[in-house]
Amino acid sequence: MTTVLVLNGPNLQRLGTREPDIYGSETLDDVREALVAAAPDGVRIDLRQTDDEATLIGWLHEAADTGSAVILNPAAFTHYSYAVRDAAAIVVGAEVPVIEVHISNPQAREEFRHTSVLSGVVTGTIAGLGTNGYLLALAHLTRPPA
Ligand code: DQA
């Protein structure tokens, strides 16, 4: 059994009621259910959320140690957390993929959201496609070998 860690940063537990015009009406439980339904046989989805930077960093260290691929929505940490960036770099350095996902398109929003301090170290980024971004990231991570 392979595990895909789906790690979510601050305020994402409010998905569904938080600024639905920007983030839509699906909850994080809906996202979990959709990922579990889409996961190929043998792939376990482990979706987590935290408002705490240290906890998120610990989970990234766990991914580096266990080799679990990561779908990461760092939320506001995206824009300023060099510590989360360094932790993501440790995971990618261990040859474990990290896909950065944003539900909204930060480039089309306030200027402070235009910078991602993570994008330079992650495997790839998906933004602006709603919660479907998580499913697209899973499809990439679980694609059959070329
Ligand atoms: C977000 C975009 C971030 O700018 C914001 O702070 C979030 C969510 C997104 O999924 O669109 O909390 O990462």
Side-chain angles (χ1 to χ4, degrees):
M1 191 64 117
T2 310
T3 297
V4 174
L5 282 172
V6 186
L7 305 181
N8 294 276
N11 301 305
L12 288 169
Q13 80 279 44
R14 313 291 287 193
L15 222 53
T17 53
R18 171 193 181 199
E19 300 181 90
D21 47 319
I22 295 173
Y23 298 112
S25 55
E26 275 185 285
T27 65
L28 214 46
D29 276 342
D30 294 333
V31 173
R32 181 190 284 107
E33 271 174 34
L35 287 167
V36 167
D41 284 349
V43 175
R44 189 174 76 92
I45 300 297
D46 184 352
L47 184 145
R48 308 177 190 176
Q49 187 279 330
T50 183
D51 293 336
D52 179 53
E53 194 177 20
T55 301
L56 184 57
I57 290 165
W59 289 344
L60 288 165
H61 293 171
E62 180 187 327
D65 292 343
T66 60
S68 298
V70 177
I71 298 172
L72 174 64
N73 185 343
F77 290 145
T78 307
H79 312 301
Y80 66 89
S81 176
Y82 298 123
V84 174
R85 173 199 163 99
D86 286 350
I90 289 169
V91 183
V92 176
E95 297 193 9
V96 177
V98 178
I99 312 289
E100 178 184 353
V101 168
H102 299 286
I103 298 163
S104 68
N105 178 2
Q107 293 300 322
R109 300 180 62 197
E110 303 96 319
E111 189 139 4
F112 76 89
R113 296 186 202 274
H114 295 183
T115 298
S116 167
V117 299
L118 277 106
S119 288
V121 298
V122 294
T123 310
T125 302
I126 298 170
L129 303 180
T131 54
N132 196 37
Y134 290 87
L135 291 163
L136 294 169
L138 180 66
H140 177 77
L141 291 171
T142 60
R143 72 198 182 285

